[in-house]
Amino acid sequence: MRKDPSRATGRPTLAEVARLAGVAQITASRALRDVPTVDPGLVSKVREAANVLGYVPNPAARTLASARSQSVVVLVPALSNQLYIETLEAIHSVLRPRGYEVLIGNFHYSREEEEELIRNYLAFQPCGILLTGFDRTEASLRLLEANKVPCVHMMELTQAEDVFCVGFSQEDAGAVVARHLLARGKRRLAYVAAQLDARVLQRGEGFKRALAEAGVLDPALEIMVPEASSVGLGGELFGRLLRQHPDVDGIFFCNDDLAHGAIFEAQRQGIAVPDRIAFVGFNDLPMSAHIVPRLTSIRTPREAVGKHAARLMVARLAGAEVPDRTVDLEFELVVRESS
Amino acid sequence: MRKDPSRATGRPTLAEVARLAGVAQITASRALRDVPTVDPGLVSKVREAANVLGYVPNPAARTLASARSQSVVVLVPALSNQLYIETLEAIHSVLRPRGYEVLIGNFHYSREEEEELIRNYLAFQPCGILLTGFDRTEASLRLLEANKVPCVHMMELTQAEDVFCVGFSQEDAGAVVARHLLARGKRRLAYVAAQLDARVLQRGEGFKRALAEAGVLDPALEIMVPEASSVGLGGELFGRLLRQHPDVDGIFFCNDDLAHGAIFEAQRQGIAVPDRIAFVGFNDLPMSAHIVPRLTSIRTPREAVGKHAARLMVARLAGAEVPDRTVDLEFELVVRESS
DNA sequence: CTTCGATAAGACAGCGCTATCTTAAGAGGA
DNA sequence: TCCTCTTAAGATAGCGCTGTCTTATCGAAG
């Protein structure tokens, strides 16, 4: 059969499927890829032959021949963050059943690392890339541009033309939190943030803008540290803020982790939440609905972002007309006991 | 240059590197792969040419020509579980710098789904597979066997010959928890578990074995539900247990999530932890060191498991002699306020 | 009845790399 | 000096697919 059996993999090939189905190899190829110019009768014949042989296409050969893989690269700033896990899971759930492979790249909140990942992953000739946000190096942008890989941006929105993005307004979310705390009668409002990526900064901007509009912005009421966010850090930053500004009566944490830590610390110090100080988190992690007191938070559509971004990519790859290049999935303020 | 430029990808190829370096293509190939029979002078010449051109090898062509990719498949039962994220991250950190791609498969605690994933991923001709535990379908085992892909098993240990595994004794961990609670003077001890995978069952077995040895095992003191574990479920199961057995004075939760939920529920019900009931969790998630009261837990070496499993795989792929096929990374009981 | 265009099926070549076989060039011994 | 043996470099032939061009077939139009 094969000229040099030592090189072969042992698995059935398209040629064998074609032979069994009694058609040319290329016809079998087209039949299995749903190319519309193949007679339905032949398609089912080929399908059956493939089934009988247990044929699974060789992705390497496919990629080499067509210069385009069936892989979608997803670049996220962290895996440790529960947030991105849910998004990734959603992306998987859309792409895998449609035959796409998902390659995950974690760039650890580093633009340089992201650039390196892009460079390396482009060698896989991915059919699309899902990116987090818009903040990346010039070189990254050039690479993506030069390789003409379809991109979809997640988590942030933009007005720019020809950019596909799925997310929500981080700034508006910050503003909503500010107005909520103001409505609760709080006036000494602080923003506590860690892991200062673009989105964390946007939330803070929105929060402070709303405070300024209400005439209660005190720029001193802010702690922003670049280190990674964690429960322990939340307690620490809360303690620090309280020592510096004992009169603070409301805090917006850039994510729930920090808020959880602050709740524990408040409990230890015997500080009444929300009476003396109200807390609001961000992301609405599962724990927030159960912690004592239950945490008010912004519920972010992170699963929906993944699903929509993946669907948008699939639509583009299928050549479909995509009416909405910008998908605003919105967020929701979930008011609970902590405010 | 190329015969049919329309088919080309536009990126530099090995042939161009070889031309620039003034060697045959195959020599360039060998030089870049560190095949030892190439003159060091030529190696650096080729390396430089590759650098000048910005050459990145085409993985699809590589895989097709060698019938083996540089991808390692990792199959985990869940992504939602913090536990596996840390393991995955560790695996990534070892494999990616060495040029391996990591393909993640999530089988959602389903043996059938795992089998399907194995079938599909084998088409990628992975150079290795990292598996979670030992519980899988016959067909899965046969597929792995037939394709002769090196496997490393994570999270559990076995005495079987010729099986590479990295983990710790789940049973022993359960027993350690039991003895700890007994030493605290507790006698009405319960096991509360969800997501009943093999490891959760093993922990329970170890726990109950130790209780039986101490003569205090009450088989009624147990709640095991198959549904997914969550903070909310922990509170619920704790409430249920307390109604059925108001005299329970110590609970071992199969993971920290459940224990956190139970702590919140206890706080709401005004039940003193640990005085009336002591709690012990499993995994020692970051939050456990901060929750009020701080949670006693078993610290599992999940990051180390990933690192060691990946290193073991790398060593096998390099053809190195691996002295220890079984790596027991052990666990640690971290005693805190909740017991 | 011929011509033409549309459509379906096939032939062919090549994607970019590596396994394998072959050749060339030294090293060493008789 | 000749011959063998080792070792490095090269030539060749695919790996398993798909893009592209060609050919066959058929109905409609002239």
Side-chain angles (χ1 to χ4, degrees), chain B residues 1 5 41 44 58 70 117-118 124 130 132 172 203 226 228 234 255 284 325 338:
Chain B
M1 295 279 166
S44 54
N58 181 328
Q70 288 287 98
L117 285 176
I118 291 174
F124 286 85
L130 300 178
T132 305
D172 289 358
R203 279 166 223 162
N255 70 43
D284 194 28
R325 313 205 144 188
S338 75

Side-chain angles (χ1 to χ4, degrees), chain B residues 102-216:
Chain B
V102 179
L103 299 182
I104 298 171
N106 174 357
F107 57 89
H108 301 96
Y109 290 100
S110 153
R111 288 157 42 112
E112 287 68 34
E113 202 170 336
E114 190 195 31
E115 182 184 321
E116 188 58 20
L117 285 176
I118 291 174
R119 205 182 302 281
N120 281 306
Y121 274 120
L122 283 174
F124 286 85
Q125 301 176 126
C127 57
I129 303 191
L130 300 178
L131 299 159
T132 305
F134 298 103
D135 177 43
R136 48 188 48 85
T137 66
E138 278 296 323
S140 295
L141 295 173
R142 258 180 281 120
L143 276 170
L144 293 171
E145 180 70 31
N147 283 272
K148 299 192 205 46
V149 190
C151 291
V152 173
H153 302 76
M154 303 185 291
M155 297 301 165
E156 293 178 48
L157 301 177
T158 178
Q159 301 309 320
E161 279 293 311
D162 289 331
V163 172
F164 292 76
C165 56
V166 178
F168 57 95
S169 169
Q170 306 271 347
E171 265 201 69
D172 289 358
V176 164
V177 171
R179 286 195 285 272
H180 166 67
L181 287 169
L182 289 169
R184 286 288 191 262
K186 306 296 186 178
R187 289 297 175 269
R188 298 289 295 157
L189 298 172
Y191 183 50
V192 173
Q195 191 67 271
L196 307 173
D197 66 26
R199 293 164 292 290
V200 166
L201 299 179
Q202 288 162 26
R203 279 166 223 162
E205 285 312 308
F207 183 70
K208 285 178 277 184
R209 181 167 42 75
L211 294 187
E213 279 166 13
V216 299

Side-chain angles (χ1 to χ4, degrees), chain B residues 2 9 14 25 29 33 55 62 65:
Chain B
R2 282 207 202 69
T9 57
L14 187 59
Q25 179 171 324
S29 169
R33 280 180 296 144
Y55 171 76
R62 251 185 189 179

Side-chain angles (χ1 to χ4, degrees), chain B residues 264-328:
Chain B
F264 297 142
E265 183 62 24
Q267 196 174 340
R268 291 212 157 77
Q269 293 193 22
I271 292 166
V273 177
D275 295 341
R276 177 168 158 201
I277 309 183
F279 288 166
V280 178
F282 195 94
N283 274 335
D284 194 28
L285 297 184
M287 168 145 300
S288 297
H290 303 283
I291 197 168
V292 183
R294 300 181 208 278
L295 179 65
T296 295
S297 192
I298 294 283
R299 177 173 300 157
T300 51
R302 45 201 190 273
E303 193 188 318
V305 165
K307 280 224 156 72
H308 276 81
R311 288 210 197 99
L312 194 54
M313 181 58 78
V314 170
R316 289 184 68 183
L317 295 177
E321 268 305 304
V322 178
D324 301 314
R325 313 205 144 188
T326 299
V327 182
D328 185 350

Side-chain angles (χ1 to χ4, degrees), chain A:
Chain A
M1 293 282 165
R2 282 210 202 68
K3 299 110 196 175
D4 178 1
S6 72
R7 295 284 300 276
T9 56
R11 16 180 93 250
T13 69
L14 187 59
E16 294 167 40
V17 173
R19 203 177 307 134
L20 182 59
V23 300
Q25 178 170 324
I26 184 65
T27 303
S29 169
R30 290 200 264 250
L32 293 175
R33 280 180 297 145
D34 290 316
V35 174
T37 66
V38 183
D39 183 90
L42 283 190
V43 170
S44 53
K45 232 189 210 161
V46 171
R47 283 250 143 79
E48 200 194 312
N51 245 321
V52 168
L53 294 176
Y55 170 75
V56 182
N58 181 328
R62 253 188 186 179
T63 302
L64 187 59
S66 66
R68 179 122 298 187
S69 74
Q70 288 288 97
S71 300
V72 173
V73 169
V74 186
L75 297 180
V76 294
L79 281 181
S80 50
N81 198 326
Q82 183 72 23
L83 161 65
Y84 294 106
I85 303 305
E86 291 175 42
T87 307
L88 280 175
E89 174 86 70
I91 292 168
H92 257 101
S93 76
V94 171
L95 294 182
R96 286 211 47 102
R98 290 177 172 76
Y100 295 99
E101 182 54 30
V102 179
L103 299 181
I104 297 172
N106 173 357
F107 56 88
H108 301 96
Y109 289 101
S110 153
R111 288 157 41 111
E112 287 67 35
E113 202 170 334
E114 189 196 31
E115 182 183 320
E116 188 58 21
L117 286 176
I118 291 173
R119 205 181 302 282
N120 281 307
Y121 275 121
L122 283 174
F124 286 85
Q125 302 177 126
C127 56
I129 302 191
L130 300 178
L131 299 158
T132 305
F134 299 103
D135 178 41
R136 48 188 49 86
T137 66
E138 278 297 322
S140 295
L141 294 172
R142 259 179 281 119
L143 277 170
L144 293 171
E145 180 71 30
N147 283 273
K148 299 192 203 45
V149 190
C151 292
V152 172
H153 302 75
M154 303 185 291
M155 297 301 164
E156 293 178 47
L157 301 177
T158 178
Q159 301 309 320
E161 280 293 311
D162 290 332
V163 172
F164 291 76
C165 56
V166 178
F168 56 95
S169 170
Q170 305 271 347
E171 265 201 68
D172 289 357
V176 164
V177 171
R179 286 195 285 271
H180 166 67
L181 287 170
L182 289 169
R184 285 288 192 260
K186 306 296 186 179
R187 289 297 175 272
R188 298 288 296 157
L189 298 173
Y191 183 50
V192 173
Q195 191 66 271
L196 307 174
D197 65 26
R199 291 164 293 289
V200 167
L201 299 179
Q202 289 163 24
R203 279 166 223 161
E205 285 313 307
F207 182 70
K208 285 178 277 185
R209 181 166 44 74
L211 293 187
E213 280 165 11
V216 300
L217 176 63
D218 178 353
L221 289 180
E222 176 177 279
I223 297 191
M224 312 216 347
V225 298
E227 52 201 287
S229 171
S230 72
V231 177
L233 184 63
E236 204 179 294
L237 296 181
F238 170 62
R240 194 189 304 174
L241 180 70
L242 207 59
R243 277 193 303 279
Q244 291 170 1
H245 305 281
D247 63 335
V248 66
D249 62 4
I251 306 178
F252 174 31
F253 293 91
C254 77
N255 69 44
D256 279 8
D257 278 348
L258 294 179
H260 296 156
I263 284 181
F264 297 142
E265 183 61 25
Q267 196 174 340
R268 291 211 157 77
Q269 292 193 24
I271 293 167
V273 177
D275 296 340
R276 179 170 157 198
I277 309 183
F279 287 166
V280 178
F282 195 93
N283 274 335
D284 194 28
L285 298 185
M287 166 145 302
S288 297
H290 303 282
I291 197 170
V292 184
R294 300 180 208 277
L295 179 66
T296 295
S297 191
I298 294 283
R299 176 173 300 157
T300 51
R302 43 201 192 275
E303 193 190 318
V305 165
K307 279 223 159 73
H308 276 82
R311 288 210 197 100
L312 194 53
M313 181 59 77
V314 170
R316 289 184 70 181
L317 295 177
E321 267 308 303
V322 179
D324 301 313
R325 314 204 144 187
T326 299
V327 182
D328 185 350
L329 292 171
E330 301 179 357
F331 54 84
E332 183 193 354
L333 176 71
V334 183
V335 179
R336 300 204 184 90
E337 301 161 354
S338 75
S339 62

